Amino acid sequence: MFGLYRPRSIEDALEFLSKNAPDVKPLAGGTELLVLIRDKKIPTPKYLLDLTPLKKHLSYVKIEEGKVKIGSTTTLYELSRTFLHSDVRFAGFVDVWKKFGTLAIRFSATIGGNLASATQYSDYITLLLAYDARVKAISANGERTIPVEKLVLDKRVTSLRPDELIKEVEFDIPREPSSSSFIKFDRRELLIAGIVTGAFFLRLDQGKIQDVKIAFDMVKDKRIPARAREVENFLLGKIFSEELVNQAADEILPASMERITDWWTTAEYRLDMSKITLKRGLLKCKTRIEKGVV
């Protein structure tokens, strides 16, 4: 059993965390945390800190000081009602929405919860890596900024301190013309964890690749989302072509990626699907840039 604390304000929440960490877990949508506790995948905390009373402070999507800022308790449904689902520069958010669980889960799951879950199945981590996003973490002692790339250290392990909350995630507004895409492969279309997932950001100038960011559910060493920087470096500054993308997928990606075999499928199949994901993802970005629509 655990206790449930409903804070009156952000300050109250941070004070409760400060006094009770590490025996407390923040609870937002609860679509994963409650399941993990029920199935004994994580130790049962002494307290859950209910963030619902803080939604008016932590649920928002806005542009401020040249950055996109998303409050941590913003649900995926709330996200879908914003410019992130209509502006071609953020088209990858639409792709994630279409592949993310059931509609009921999308009404409850939050962006902060997806980040804090810290697994290779955290689709928004993979997407936000392609935007070079950062997390604002707050505690009773102040605020700090953590690159999403350094937030996830290992499976279900983050660099957040026990007394910290995720306040928001932010990333710079992309320069035009640019777009993004997200691709998830599995044996079925809905309710999928994903054998392979990839996120891609591309900015072109007269056909030349001015910016490119590529992230997969895993690349090397650990089973957590990461950037494919060798592929990015190979593509940057070159004229975009299907032949170039094929070369990147067939020659560069395999040297920078280590796939695994498990009960789900083989490492060889995962690598082949990663190549296809890279090709389709980048070509989808280019098509979106040319057409100017999501």
Side-chain angles (χ1 to χ4, degrees), residues 4 9 32 120 136 150 158 173 180 216 244 246 273:
L4 181 68
S9 63
E32 182 165 12
Q120 69 194 94
K136 290 285 186 68
K150 294 184 178 180
T158 73
I173 298 175
S180 64
F216 282 92
L244 178 70
N246 288 339
M273 297 309 289

Side-chain angles (χ1 to χ4, degrees), residues 183 185 195-200 214-219 228 231 245 248-250 253-254 256-260 266-282:
I183 293 178
F185 277 116
I195 292 174
V196 169
T197 59
F200 311 90
I214 298 165
F216 282 92
D217 54 291
M218 61 178 295
V219 178
V231 181
V245 171
D250 296 334
L253 184 63
S256 63
M257 175 174 283
E258 295 173 4
R259 284 299 192 180
I260 63 166
T266 65
E268 291 78 11
Y269 180 75
R270 277 194 169 96
L271 180 58
D272 283 344
M273 297 309 289
S274 297
K275 294 177 184 178
I276 292 171
T277 299
L278 178 64
K279 294 174 184 178
R280 291 185 181 179
L282 290 174

Side-chain angles (χ1 to χ4, degrees), residues 194-213:
I195 292 174
V196 169
T197 59
F200 311 90
F201 175 83
L202 182 69
R203 182 167 66 87
L204 299 175
D205 183 8
Q206 297 182 342
K208 188 176 182 180
I209 301 173
Q210 296 290 348
D211 192 6
V212 60
K213 298 182 183 71

Side-chain angles (χ1 to χ4, degrees), residues 5 11 22 28 30 33 56 61 64 78 84 96 105 139 142 174 203-204 279 283 293:
Y5 187 77
E11 292 74 21
L33 178 62
K56 64 180 180 180
V61 180
E64 190 174 88
E78 290 168 340
L84 292 176
V96 175
I105 291 175
S139 72
R203 182 167 66 87
L204 299 175
K279 294 174 184 178
L283 289 171
V293 295

Side-chain angles (χ1 to χ4, degrees), residues 28-32 55 59 72-81 85 93-111 114 123-124 184 189-192:
T31 55
E32 182 165 12
K55 274 194 68 68
S59 180
S72 62
T73 65
T74 306
T75 67
L76 309 190
Y77 175 76
E78 290 168 340
L79 207 66
S80 75
R81 313 301 292 176
H85 276 233
F93 281 89
V94 178
D95 296 334
V96 175
W97 164 264
K98 291 178 179 178
K99 292 286 188 177
F100 197 99
T102 64
L103 186 58
I105 291 175
R106 296 176 204 171
F107 271 102
S108 300
T110 64
I111 191 74
N114 198 249
D123 294 342
Y124 282 95
K184 180 188 283 191
E189 283 297 311
L190 298 175
L191 289 174
I192 58 178

